[in-house]
Amino acid sequence: MTDTPQAADGPADVRSAVKDCVHCGFCLPACPTYQLWGEEMDSRRGRILLMDLAGRGELPLSAEVVAHFDACLGCLACEPACPSGVQYGRLLESTRQQVERRFTQPAPQRMLRRALFAVLPHPALMRAATLGLRGLERLHLGAVV
């Protein structure tokens, strides 16, 4: 990311939100990905640091960096734990938009993302996909998928 992530409120508001994080760590116990992996960059605090570094051009938008953003569930369980009131949801949304615009995913990942975005919003398609996956599982072809 060559510039700071931009939200609907504007780049200055996002820069301010990133700077509002005091890296206190109160969000760590609330973050399911941090609890699962224990990796700082897979916590809200770590991702905010990545957003800041990438926004200032000090860190390239690499597959490794994008993986940390993608690993976030977006559950926002961390927001109530933040004493500084950092609106992480806005930051994450803005960052994900920047990633979609500026980072080229590998072909298999692009295909998977397109399929998910085509199926997930439609309950009927979800049911059909679930039935199809169950059929593959019964045929012991689940590992192929």
Side-chain angles (χ1 to χ4, degrees), residues 2 4 22-23 35 43 49 70 90 93 102 107 120 132 139:
T2 56
T4 302
V22 295
H23 304 284
Q35 292 302 307
S43 72
L49 177 62
D70 283 348
R90 270 190 35 226
E93 181 180 318
R102 298 198 167 126
L120 288 177
L139 294 172

Side-chain angles (χ1 to χ4, degrees), residues 76-98:
L76 305 183
C78 56
E79 280 196 350
C82 181
S84 300
V86 176
Q87 300 210 353
Y88 179 70
R90 270 190 35 226
L91 292 173
L92 182 62
E93 181 180 318
S94 175
T95 299
R96 285 183 169 162
Q97 289 172 1
Q98 295 295 323

Side-chain angles (χ1 to χ4, degrees), residues 13-101:
D13 290 342
V14 173
R15 249 183 267 120
S16 173
V18 166
K19 299 218 180 316
D20 284 345
C21 178
V22 295
H23 304 284
C24 64
F26 288 151
C27 58
L28 297 178
C31 179
T33 54
Y34 179 76
Q35 292 302 307
L36 184 63
W37 298 313
E39 176 73 33
E40 179 73 20
M41 292 302 128
D42 285 319
S43 72
R44 165 198 172 113
R45 179 171 76 173
R47 289 182 186 110
I48 288 175
L49 177 62
L50 291 175
M51 291 172 195
D52 187 31
L53 292 172
R56 289 187 283 142
E58 295 180 26
L59 183 70
L61 193 58
S62 65
E64 184 179 355
V65 171
V66 170
H68 292 297
F69 296 136
D70 283 348
C72 180
L73 302 175
C75 67
L76 305 183
C78 56
E79 280 196 350
C82 181
S84 300
V86 176
Q87 300 210 353
Y88 179 70
R90 270 190 35 226
L91 292 173
L92 182 62
E93 181 180 318
S94 175
T95 299
R96 285 183 169 162
Q97 289 172 1
Q98 295 295 323
V99 167
E100 287 299 315
R101 280 197 283 275

Side-chain angles (χ1 to χ4, degrees), residues 82-135:
C82 181
S84 300
V86 176
Q87 300 210 353
Y88 179 70
R90 270 190 35 226
L91 292 173
L92 182 62
E93 181 180 318
S94 175
T95 299
R96 285 183 169 162
Q97 289 172 1
Q98 295 295 323
V99 167
E100 287 299 315
R101 280 197 283 275
R102 298 198 167 126
F103 182 74
T104 304
Q105 298 279 358
Q109 182 74 8
R110 282 196 313 269
M111 289 175 15
L112 176 64
R113 290 168 90 90
R114 282 190 195 126
L116 287 173
F117 290 134
V119 172
L120 288 177
H122 307 287
L125 288 176
M126 280 290 293
R127 281 190 289 280
T130 302
L131 289 173
L133 290 173
R134 282 186 188 151

